[in-house]
Amino acid sequence: GDGSQHGARSQDRIRRQSGRRIGAASAWSRIVTTGRAYDAVIVGSGPNGLAAAITLAEAGRSVVVLEAKDTVGGGMRSAELTLPGFMHDICSAIHPLLVGSPFFDKLDLERYGAKLVHPEVPFAHPLDGGRAGLLYRSVDETADALGPDASAYRKLVEPLVKDFDNLRHDFFGPLRVPRHPLTMARLGLHFLTPVTRLVKRFQTDEAAGMFAGMASHTMLPLEAPVTATFALFFAALGHAVGWPAVAGGSQKIADAMAAHLDSLGGEVRTSTPVASLDDIPEARCVLLDVSPRQLLDIAGDRLSPRFQREARKFRYGPGAFKVDWALREPIPWTAPQVARAGTVHVVGTAQEAAESERSVSQGRHADKPFVLLAQQTMFDPTRAPEGRHTAWAYCHVPAGSKTDMTAAIERQIERFAPGFKDVVLARSTIDPGQLHDYNANYVGGDIAAGVIDIRQLFTRPSTRWNPYTTSARDILICSSSTPPGPGVHGMGGMLAAKTALKRVL
């Protein structure tokens, strides 16, 4: 056999491996049992929870992070899911939002052992016939490779790249008056535009496919407004800061953040689940890195009936079905240039991407799913034994789906890389239910922690001027269910912490 692991066996391995100490940082493994009172308690140690704790500790406040699992990290954990010596990212894998985030500007990750590594090509979009669209770090190189679409590509993307530093400060946050209105206006022109309309500007399958692939990260049907905006922002990220990974796995980010928190005097308690506010130490305020459903479970009796009603109406999106592979050799792409990319959008044409995401939005499983794939060992050899490789991928499925999508995902990869299954040594799968069990914020397997459509982009998780507040002055929410949404950027945590400093502390 090929060493496959499925279902409960894969989940059991995740539990075992995610409890293993990975990396040199030690802050997260130190369990604190003091009975002191704190300025703030943070529940959950995902990127936003740790960012909140760091922001408060930097302001001189006493803070403790409570984490239910044996290790910190939330969606930033890594483990040997397939075979010994093969390190896989359990959730997040590629980090353009990290390098674009204002929060991480001030955090020296490499000092604590988290080194960003950049592929030669941020992402590739293979097509039938050995063709592929590639986003290079250079706008000119990307545009020139698109032939008749060169001018249209430059016109859309180049202004955003030139003003990216201004753009990112307004993009990473809640709805507010922009600090740089002219820059945001360039992106705002496309705010109501679905990517299916945007791609009509292009003549080539390569250009259209690239934008459809970037928009598919939203987990929305591609006919939805805002999908073009996200595609343009992801393109600008690729050119301005890249789409890197972290050497050795995403766990290194969590370890580095926890180590920095430790250096500031902050504390971490792992293996400390929180079911209600009775489970936390005395504190002046509580910041919860949880989704609205868990917020109600933990603190519902402290929240107003109106706030509770709004939180119950919060909409969760599709789930994800994930596969990790240990590989004998690199993926044999028909278009050899795809091997230079860290991320690969495996779906085909823009029309096929739209069909895939439309199926999922209608509660169906796509016959040819959009597959988001990362091949980190092509530029980070530390993740596998010498000469071996890993691959990481997922597709979107209806929330709570129990359908095994392994065969469908591998058919899509084989379509653009014939012989892929012949190089597989072992595989590990995680379905939406297992993702939910692994992280309660992933309701129904929704790794975005809530739909990010136009109705819920800024009103996450409720229609409040400050989305990090609740009806209780000393209880705040700081998860991916708040603006700017999912991803390893820490901004929800940082902005919630600043709110706590202003309103409570």
Side-chain angles (χ1 to χ4, degrees):
D2 59 8
S4 300
Q5 290 97 20
H6 292 282
R9 293 174 59 197
S10 296
Q11 188 70 359
D12 182 61
R13 179 161 290 189
I14 291 170
R15 292 191 190 100
R16 296 198 310 271
Q17 297 293 343
S18 62
R20 180 179 299 173
R21 181 173 172 178
I22 300 170
S26 61
W28 59 264
S29 62
R30 179 166 58 84
I31 299 177
V32 180
T33 57
T34 61
R36 62 180 286 193
Y38 297 89
D39 288 318
V41 171
I42 286 81
V43 178
S45 69
N48 287 305
L50 289 173
I54 288 168
T55 302
L56 292 168
E58 287 176 339
R61 303 305 192 269
S62 59
V63 60
V64 62
V65 177
L66 307 182
E67 168 55 48
K69 302 292 186 181
D70 296 335
T71 62
V72 296
M76 300 182 292
R77 295 189 179 100
S78 306
E80 295 176 335
L81 300 180
T82 56
L83 298 174
F86 290 82
M87 187 59 64
H88 305 275
D89 293 321
I90 297 174
C91 294
S92 62
I94 303 294
H95 300 290
L97 296 177
L98 183 153
V99 284
S101 167
F103 169 76
F104 281 100
D105 285 349
K106 61 184 179 181
L107 186 58
D108 185 0
L109 291 173
E110 194 163 344
R111 173 186 174 190
Y112 299 105
K115 181 182 179 181
L116 294 174
V117 286
H118 286 265
E120 182 182 355
V121 175
F123 79 81
H125 191 105
L127 295 159
D128 293 320
R131 299 172 296 147
L134 279 79
L135 186 139
Y136 299 92
R137 287 298 300 273
S138 164
V139 174
D140 286 337
E141 189 175 4
T142 304
D144 291 344
L146 295 174
D149 287 325
S151 177
Y153 186 88
R154 282 193 183 91
K155 184 177 179 180
L156 279 170
V157 175
E158 198 166 42
L160 301 176
V161 177
K162 287 181 177 178
D163 281 344
F164 184 75
D165 193 55
N166 291 335
L167 176 66
R168 71 190 182 107
H169 282 91
D170 284 324
F171 190 88
F172 282 106
L175 183 63
R176 57 192 170 184
V177 177
R179 292 165 55 184
H180 307 282
L182 293 180
T183 302
M184 279 300 288
R186 292 192 180 99
L187 195 63
L189 288 172
H190 304 284
F191 184 70
L192 297 178
T193 304
V195 78
T196 48
R197 185 186 307 164
L198 184 76
V199 299
K200 292 179 180 179
R201 298 177 179 222
F202 301 118
Q203 302 176 44
T204 65
D205 288 338
E206 287 84 351
M210 287 167 61
F211 277 91
M214 289 185 284
S216 296
H217 285 244
T218 64
M219 301 177 76
L220 296 172
L222 301 192
E223 297 85 1
V226 313
T227 49
T229 296
F230 278 104
L232 288 165
F233 187 73
F234 279 126
L237 275 168
H239 293 303
V241 297
W243 287 23
V246 177
S250 296
Q251 180 73 51
K252 299 285 189 178
I253 306 169
D255 292 350
M257 294 179 75
H260 182 58
L261 176 62
D262 184 56
S263 75
L264 297 169
E267 300 175 9
V268 174
R269 301 184 193 182
T270 55
S271 303
T272 307
V274 173
S276 76
L277 294 178
D278 294 335
D279 296 330
I280 68 170
E282 182 181 349
R284 295 172 63 190
C285 66
V286 180
L287 289 81
L288 295 115
D289 184 4
V290 301
S291 86
R293 185 172 296 184
Q294 288 76 50
L295 174 65
L296 291 175
D297 290 341
I298 293 170
D301 59 352
R302 286 283 316 282
L303 304 174
S304 71
R306 178 180 176 181
F307 186 91
Q308 291 184 51
R309 286 194 299 272
E310 285 202 60
R312 290 191 186 98
K313 293 178 181 178
F314 186 79
R315 293 173 297 119
Y316 295 91
F321 184 96
K322 180 172 176 283
V323 188
D324 290 280
W325 297 271
L327 303 176
R328 181 179 293 108
E329 57 191 62
I331 298 173
W333 301 107
T334 302
Q337 63 269 37
V338 176
R340 300 160 61 190
T343 300
V344 186
H345 298 151
V346 186
V347 69
T349 64
Q351 291 77 15
E352 289 175 297
E355 289 169 8
S356 169
E357 299 308 281
R358 188 183 310 118
S359 294
V360 175
S361 72
Q362 294 172 351
R364 298 181 286 112
H365 295 82
D367 294 329
K368 296 180 178 180
F370 167 76
V371 177
L372 180 59
L373 182 145
Q375 45 186 7
Q376 296 98 317
T377 45
M378 297 303 293
F379 55 104
D380 175 18
T382 68
R383 295 175 181 240
E386 186 175 357
R388 304 304 190 193
H389 288 269
T390 66
W392 168 109
Y394 70 85
C395 72
H396 303 147
V397 294
S401 167
K402 297 185 181 300
T403 299
D404 188 334
M405 294 294 289
T406 307
I409 289 173
E410 293 188 348
R411 279 197 304 271
Q412 283 288 72
I413 300 172
E414 281 270 341
R415 173 182 167 188
F416 304 103
F420 166 71
K421 286 189 283 189
D422 296 334
V423 305
V424 173
L425 296 172
R427 61 175 62 79
S428 171
T429 65
I430 311 174
D431 67 24
Q434 292 165 336
L435 281 169
H436 189 175
D437 291 341
Y438 165 75
N439 187 330
N441 287 353
Y442 300 157
V443 175
D446 176 10
I447 57 177
V451 175
I452 51 174
D453 62 8
I454 195 168
R455 291 169 52 199
Q456 205 165 261
L457 179 60
F458 297 112
T459 56
R460 297 171 70 84
S462 61
T463 53
R464 300 176 69 84
W465 178 249
N466 186 321
Y468 312 103
T469 63
T470 70
S471 58
R473 181 172 174 270
D474 57 342
I475 298 174
L476 298 94
I477 181 169
C478 65
S479 68
S480 293
S481 299
T482 65
V488 177
H489 46 67
M491 290 299 294
M494 185 187 84
L495 293 168
K498 288 186 173 182
T499 298
L501 288 167
K502 183 177 181 179
R503 290 168 56 96
V504 185
L505 303 177

